[in-house]
Every structure is written in C-alpha cells, then in structure tokens.
Amino acid sequence: MENYLVGSILKENRIRLKISQEELCFDLCAVSTLSRIESGAQVPGRKLVEALFSRMGMNPPASSIPMSKTDFKRENLEYKINDMIATGKVEIADLLEEYKNCGSELSPLENQFYLFYKALSEDTLHHDGKTALEKYEEALRISIKDYELGKLPNVRFLTRTELLILNNISRTLYFIEKKNEAIELMEFLRTYFENGIVSEEEKAKNYPVILLNLENWYGNANEDEKVIVLCEKGIDVCIQYGKLTSFPYQIFNRGCSLVKLGKVEEGKKCLSQAFIIIEAMKEFDNLNYGKNWVRENLHIQI
C-alpha cells in the first residue's frame, strides 16, 4: 500500500507540473523504473524518491517511503552532517565514514551525497581547488552523466544536491582563476532559481548566496551597473524570506558600487547602514574587514 501511495503521489505531482517521465528521471533511473514506481509495482529506494521529488521542488511524503534500518541510520546521519555544515563545522570525516559503513553498500545517490560532502569538507580544510573540482565533478556525474567543464548541464530539472554541487563547482572555478566559466555557471544557477522549479525553502536558503557571489565577482571586474541590479534583487529576496545573514552584505555591495560609479553620498549611506547591521549581528571581523576595505579601495571613511 505504501509503495502505491508514494508512486501515485509522485505521478500526480509530475503530471500537475507538466513534466514528462523522461525529463524527471533523466540520468537518475530508467523511464521503465519510474513507470513501475508510479504504478506501485516497484519498491523505490529512499534516495531515488528524494531525488525525484526534489526535481519537482518538493519534499517526499516521508510516511510513504519504505525504509530499512540502514535507511533510517543514513537519513539521521545526513541530518547531522547538514546541520554541522550549516553551522560552519566541516570536520565531518568520522560521520561520513559511519555513513558509508553503517549497512549495505551505498546506492549511487547515497554515494553522490558521500562524495560531495567529503569533497566539501576537504576543500574547506585544505583549499586544494583543482582536487576539489575533480571530486565535485565526480559526484555530479553520478546523476548528470554528460557534465563537462565549460558545458552547462543538459537537464531541465535539478535536485537539491545537484544544485549544491554546481554551486561549489562554480565557486571552485573562480578560486582557481577560471572566472569566466565560474560566472557562466553561477548565472545558470541564478536563472534556474528564478525560473526553474525550486522549493521555497531552497530558494530562501541558496538564492541570496548565488546573488551575493555574482555581486562580488562582477564587483571585482568593475561591472558595477550589474552589481547594483543584482543587489537590488538580493535585498528584495532577503526581505521576502527574512534572510538576515546575507542582507547587510547585499547593502554593502550596493554601497561600494554606487561609490565607484560616482554616487558617493548615496553609496556612503548604504555602507553606513550595512555596518550598523553587521555590528548588531556581532560579526566584528567582517565589520573591521569591510571598513578597512572601503578605506583602502574606495578612499572614504565611514
């Protein structure tokens, strides 16, 4: 009965969103596999169900997914790993090894999770961009098999994990001085978050960060008109979703670009507002860095 429920819910939402079976399961599973899941004839794996619903911008109906003891263990470990990363704790090697060895062999999508978070942890700790890029791409090709550097993904719908991997590939490309490729990929992500099927939760969490990355990169290239457009959008998004973390930095970037474009008083007002909020958030290292950067690069005092 549970298999039938998850399959029928999946099919109902796929049809409602006007997504074909081929588009939804692209590189995740065969169309015949999806057909059997939708009809209730095949027991779906936990990560496959998550991925299929994620590509529709949805969380799966948890009570309708058949789960083994290993599934429960790995799901709980995923929550722990995500929570640690969200709070800036990247020493997750022990949790990842527990994830890998807690039961049966990893499924392809479990292996994607494992490879991505291992690469993310090692990248943050060691800052080896080229090695990190190879590992991110290895993880991505599990579910987007034709991905190549400099070639945008040929897929209409993306999972949360695929979006996270693409974001980290873009950031790593910029770090290793492949800036044009980095910006092109980040612009792809921006367009996807604006026009694709993304849950409100994921949009609130990741869209402001994508805009902030592009603002910083265009600012470094002195493309300040683009920065201001992105900042105005970023400020609106932060207000819409209550994202205080990114909010002052959107204002800061707007202020810097206004000053660089000769609108000094308007820019100084933005910078002052940004510094007040950053100070209120007790992010004193960022506050001092920002003030020093403004003094040294814009030659103004706030």
Side-chain angles (χ1 to χ4, degrees):
M1 182 64 174
E2 289 184 338
N3 298 344
Y4 171 77
L5 281 176
V6 72
S8 63
I9 294 169
L10 180 64
K11 182 177 181 180
E12 178 183 337
N13 283 283
R14 178 182 61 76
I15 292 172
R16 176 178 60 82
L17 294 168
K18 298 179 181 178
I19 303 173
S20 71
Q21 287 184 322
E22 289 80 4
E23 289 173 323
L24 184 62
C25 71
F26 181 82
D27 278 354
L28 290 176
C29 66
V31 173
S32 58
T33 300
L34 178 57
S35 293
R36 289 194 297 272
I37 291 171
E38 289 186 343
S39 69
Q42 179 167 331
V43 177
R46 175 183 67 93
K47 292 299 285 183
L48 177 56
V49 172
E50 285 182 4
L52 292 168
F53 275 92
S54 183
R55 283 192 173 177
M56 295 190 295
M58 301 172 62
N59 292 320
S63 61
S64 299
I65 302 176
M67 299 264 279
S68 66
K69 289 183 179 179
T70 299
D71 287 328
F72 277 113
K73 287 180 183 177
R74 285 192 171 135
E75 184 179 52
N76 287 330
L77 286 166
E78 286 173 15
Y79 285 131
K80 288 181 183 179
I81 290 166
N82 279 313
D83 284 345
M84 287 188 68
I85 294 295
T87 55
K89 300 172 184 176
V90 296
E91 295 180 350
I92 55 175
D94 290 343
L95 286 175
L96 285 170
E97 288 311 299
E98 184 180 353
Y99 182 84
K100 182 179 180 181
N101 298 312
C102 71
S104 58
E105 184 177 350
L106 295 174
S107 71
L109 292 173
E110 287 172 337
N111 192 39
Q112 182 179 62
F113 177 93
Y114 171 80
L115 291 174
F116 168 59
Y117 280 97
K118 185 174 183 183
L120 178 61
S121 174
E122 292 175 354
D123 182 21
T124 307
L125 291 169
H126 305 301
H127 304 291
D128 182 353
K130 291 184 178 179
T131 300
L133 182 61
E134 291 174 359
K135 292 182 177 180
Y136 289 141
E137 291 179 331
E138 179 186 0
L140 186 63
R141 290 192 185 104
I142 288 174
S143 60
I144 304 179
K145 294 180 172 55
D146 66 347
Y147 172 80
E148 296 177 15
L149 181 60
K151 177 182 175 184
L152 295 177
N154 182 28
V155 56
R156 282 190 62 202
F157 305 100
L158 294 163
T159 68
R160 173 185 178 275
T161 302
E162 289 163 347
L163 289 167
L164 287 172
I165 297 172
L166 286 166
N167 181 61
N168 279 274
I169 287 174
S170 178
R171 291 172 63 252
T172 304
L173 286 169
Y174 196 86
F175 176 75
I176 63 174
E177 299 296 323
K178 292 183 179 291
K179 295 182 179 180
N180 290 336
E181 293 93 333
I183 290 172
E184 184 180 18
L185 183 52
M186 195 64 75
E187 283 284 11
F188 167 84
L189 290 171
R190 178 171 77 93
T191 300
Y192 189 86
F193 271 84
E194 291 173 356
N195 303 315
I197 298 178
V198 184
S199 71
E200 291 298 298
E201 179 185 358
E202 290 303 316
K203 189 173 288 187
K205 189 184 301 181
N206 296 308
Y207 185 38
V209 178
I210 288 169
L211 292 172
L212 200 60
N213 283 330
L214 285 169
E215 291 161 23
N216 292 333
W217 297 349
Y218 283 131
N220 291 340
N222 295 315
E223 296 189 52
D224 293 291
E225 296 285 0
K226 288 183 179 179
V227 174
I228 288 174
V229 172
L230 290 167
C231 288
E232 289 173 353
K233 186 172 293 186
I235 289 167
D236 288 342
V237 169
C238 287
I239 292 171
Q240 179 183 354
Y241 292 108
K243 297 301 289 183
L244 183 61
T245 305
S246 300
F247 183 58
Y249 301 102
Q250 305 282 354
I251 300 173
F252 175 83
N253 284 343
R254 185 174 187 271
C256 290
S257 288
L258 285 168
V259 172
K260 288 163 70 178
L261 290 169
K263 300 178 181 180
V264 178
E265 291 307 312
E266 188 180 354
K268 288 172 73 173
K269 182 179 178 181
C270 284
L271 291 168
S272 179
Q273 291 171 341
F275 289 149
I276 289 170
I277 299 170
I278 293 169
E279 184 174 18
M281 294 166 62
K282 299 182 179 180
E283 296 185 359
F284 299 116
D285 288 343
N286 289 342
L287 178 66
N288 292 330
Y289 175 83
K291 287 185 174 182
N292 289 334
W293 191 94
V294 165
R295 185 172 55 252
E296 293 171 7
N297 292 276
L298 303 181
H299 311 295
I300 59 174
Q301 188 80 30
I302 303 296

